[in-house]
Amino acid sequence: MSDSQNPGLSQATLSAGSSSVELPVHQPTLGAPCIDIGKLPKATGCFTYDPGFTATASCKSAITYIDGEEGVLLYRGYPIEQLAEKSSFLEVASLLINGELPTKSEFASFEHEVTHHTMMHEAFKSFLGGFRHDAHPMAMLVGMLGSMASFYHNDLDLEDPEQRRLAAVRLIAKVPTIAAACYRHSIGWPLRYPRNNLDYTTRFLHMLYEVPSEPLELNPVAAKAMDLLFILHADHEQNASTSTVRLVGSTGANPYVCVASGVAALWGPAHGGANEAVLKMLNQIGRPENVQSAIDKAKDKESGFRLMGFGHRVYKNYDPRAALVRKMTHEVLGQLGVNDPLLDVAMKLEEAALKDDYFVQRKLYPNVDFYSGIIYKALGIPVEMFTVMFAIARTAGWVAHWLEQQDDPENKIGRPRQVYTGPANRDYVSMDQR
Ligand code: CMC
């Protein structure tokens, strides 16, 4: 859809049977105008039907803008390419939640605050101990974040903006600590406490990899690559997990469970779980010679198989994040001296899909998850942890949206309607009569 189809549209008229209603139109700073259908039920007795919210804006937001036709992604107006080249994940997190790039002293105080909220309560260890060693880390992360609400609830006053801000800072600070702890539990390693002398991403990698018996010599290429992936995953406007955070947040629920619900939504393979699914798919394809049969299978609707890491609800062009990750994959593998045959499979798959009519007609391009798994693998991140990496980064976006929502005078409980398709009113029949 082109944004210029209806420039300056201020009103829309909708007729339903004998009634007709004038509906106001909201003009965004960028993007398509949105018809406000709030008056519709009263005026016409009708609701609207939009499964998957393909045509519905659920809120006003000033955080992230995507132009899916052009392949543009802006955080607070800044192009993702510039942030990827010049910024750091923690600076981007500050930008997302505060709206402006921080000054030097603002950043120093944000970094100090995040750094000093990275510890977990010791009681978390016993929660972790309750999980089977082979539990999926995303399942553990959902549970652990939910349990955070039990530590920060009784005195929490959501009317107080400072307390809301602190909850956001705590989440950005503690999610990496909890994520690393989940991983270490799954492999039977003792927990590693966060080191305050390290930057955000390096600290996380230390918590993930360092064994008590020897110091970790971390390749700075790994920290740089991870930080860049965190920037690219930090926010993506009203995606499924962010919308989940907002829906739960609309009820006035505790912010830690709001974010836990976002992690749950992220886990699905149609969303953040795709990065894990991509690597499994590439492994199954195995060799460039098998690519064509994978393409054929993805085109066959009966097979139930989709090319993971391909397609996007909003992007009908190359996902700008995928373009950055693609470039980065070659650089990182080169710098780390890793020669991964899966990269050849991925490149062949991309090349074949981009030439194939099925994918061309449906505008299916690689998305951010297509190449990210190959980098995670090169960095030694286990496959089950891939979506956890996404969750660490997206926490910045989730809390930014939660903060924005809590301040929004138009915020009301999210409560969609339905097209009821069940039986009409009927009388109960006692069991002996059925
Ligand atoms: N492989 C094969 N066919 C596909 C694919 C794919 N990956 N994606 C979409 N299609 C086809 C689909 O079958 C449909 O065909 P038709 O018009 O003939 O019925 C058409 O393209 C439109 O697909 P859709 O399912 O209606 O599109 P959607 O907007 O509802 O779904 C999506 C978007 C991302 C869920 C979907 O493209 C998909 O399942 N992709 C694979 C999973 C994936 O990579 N997800 C990560 C998304 S990016 C990271 C994130 O933000 O979480």
Side-chain angles (χ1 to χ4, degrees), residues 118-134:
T118 48
M119 293 281 287
M120 294 192 303
H121 193 289
E122 281 294 288
F124 271 105
K125 282 187 181 172
S126 41
F127 283 119
L128 258 186
F131 290 111
R132 275 174 62 115
H133 73 281
D134 57 354

Side-chain angles (χ1 to χ4, degrees), residues 14 88 110 147 180 215 249 418:
L14 193 138
S88 67
F110 181 66
S147 69
Q418 62 173 5

Side-chain angles (χ1 to χ4, degrees), residues 236 269-272 274 298 301 305-313 316 321 358-359 362 364 367-369 390:
H236 215 225
H271 193 7
K301 302 278 191 227
F305 171 75
R306 285 187 167 200
L307 274 197
M308 299 314 289
F310 259 80
H312 197 275
R313 170 62 61 77
K316 302 301 165 201
R321 303 166 302 170
Y358 173 97
F359 292 88
R362 289 170 181 74
L364 300 170
N367 59 51
V368 68
D369 289 326
F390 194 153

Side-chain angles (χ1 to χ4, degrees), residues 155-169:
D155 302 327
L156 185 67
D157 175 7
L158 290 186
E159 296 299 314
D160 178 354
E162 178 49 25
Q163 290 202 36
R164 297 201 298 262
R165 196 194 63 80
L166 189 57
V169 167

